[in-house]
Structures are given as C-alpha cells and as structure tokens.
Amino acid sequence: MTAPSPFPVSEIVASRRPHRKDAARNYDALLVAAREAFAEHGAEASLEDIARRAGVGIGTLYRNFPTRRHLFESVYADEVNTLVQVALEVADQEPWQALTAWLDQFADYMVTKRAVREALNDESEIFAACRESMYAAGGPLLTRAQEAGEARSDMNFVDLLRMVAGIMATAFDDDAQRDRVLSIALDGVRTSR
C-alpha cells in the first residue's frame, strides 16, 4: 500500500484533466480563460466569454465542466496546485528567497480565490483538499525561514496567509502599488540581520 500524497489537490487536478492531447489542450485553455475572466468580472463571468477566450465552442466548455461549480472548483484546484508546484520548485533556494517567491505566487492566487470563493462552500471537499495541500506546501517554507533566523518566530503560517490575504483584498491603483505594499508588510515579517 502506498502512502497518501501530502498534496491531495495534485491528485484532484490530475484526475480531472483529460488524457488525450487535444482535449487536454482545450481543458488547459479553458482554465486560463476562466482564471482571466474571473479576475476581471468575478464569479458572474460569462461562460460564453470564457469559451470564446479559450478559442473553443460552448459545447467544449460544458463537456469539460458540466456545471459552473465544476469550473470554479477546477480553476481553484489548479491555482492551489500551482502553489504546491512553486513550493517544490523553490525549496532549494535560500529560506527567505524561497518564502517570498512562494508568497508572490500566493498573492496572485488570491485574485482568483476572491472570485471563486463566493461560489464555493468552504466546507466542500475541494476546499479541504486545497487548504491541506497549501499548508503542506507553504508551511515548511515559513518554518525553514524561521529556523534560519530570517523570519519572525512569533508568528505562524496562518498569521502570514491572513496578512497577505488582507493586503490582496485591498483595491490598489496598480500592480506596482500592490507589490510595494506587500514588500513593506513582508519587511515586518523578516528579522533584521
């Protein structure tokens, strides 16, 4: 018997993605288009617009995502799976650099999360698997930065996520202002050297 994956969201994403190349390409294009549409228009983004952005017909969208909820769940799971992959990719970097690289991706993810959160129930299996995967991927990055003396030891991973999520919930004039405010907040997390 094999041990369960520490990242259940990766299994969910893999099980939903079609195996045929052309179908997988359409599926991926729909996820990208949906992510963009949700970021621009929120949960009420038009499914027809999503299909048009992806360069496919509405029938292809419904074949891949039979309901709007299925599309929301798939986009959300794909975003969290990206967070997991980034955590794995940066794990060999210096502790503070790895943590901030992951938090940059987390900040981008928050844009999509805001749009789909209102459409999904926090108690759903997808949310539970995503939360578990996100904590398993990002939590060790904070712990490593703390153990290296580069991040405050009087905070935990949930504190850090709530801080970044709060910042991302704010309306900014542009991305540069958002990045500057996030950098200022992270300066408060980093210990002086």
Side-chain angles (χ1 to χ4, degrees), residues 34 36-50 68 72:
E36 291 170 357
F38 294 152
E40 290 174 23
H41 305 291
E44 298 305 315
S46 157
L47 296 180
E48 290 79 9
D49 178 48
I50 291 169
R68 182 178 277 273
F72 285 133

Side-chain angles (χ1 to χ4, degrees), residues 66-84:
T67 65
R68 182 178 277 273
R69 179 180 178 85
H70 195 269
L71 178 60
F72 285 133
E73 288 178 346
S74 296
V75 169
Y76 186 70
D78 191 62
E79 286 284 298
V80 173
N81 194 50
T82 299
L83 283 170
V84 167

Side-chain angles (χ1 to χ4, degrees), residues 53-133:
R53 287 175 189 234
V56 301
I58 193 71
T60 300
L61 183 143
Y62 281 115
R63 258 190 311 283
N64 283 284
F65 309 103
T67 65
R68 182 178 277 273
R69 179 180 178 85
H70 195 269
L71 178 60
F72 285 133
E73 288 178 346
S74 296
V75 169
Y76 186 70
D78 191 62
E79 286 284 298
V80 173
N81 194 50
T82 299
L83 283 170
V84 167
Q85 297 310 311
V86 168
L88 296 173
E89 290 167 11
V90 302
D92 292 338
Q93 295 178 5
E94 292 297 318
W96 183 253
Q97 183 182 1
L99 179 62
T100 56
W102 189 84
L103 287 171
D104 284 343
Q105 186 67 44
F106 178 78
D108 290 342
Y109 144 86
M110 286 306 300
V111 173
T112 302
K113 182 180 181 196
R114 269 198 315 271
V116 299
R117 183 180 183 119
E118 60 196 56
L120 295 177
N121 180 339
D122 281 351
E123 306 306 317
S124 77
E125 287 182 36
I126 294 287
F127 257 74
C130 287
R131 184 175 20 256
E132 180 183 337
S133 297

Side-chain angles (χ1 to χ4, degrees), residues 1-6 11:
M1 180 183 252
T2 60
S5 166
E11 295 171 12

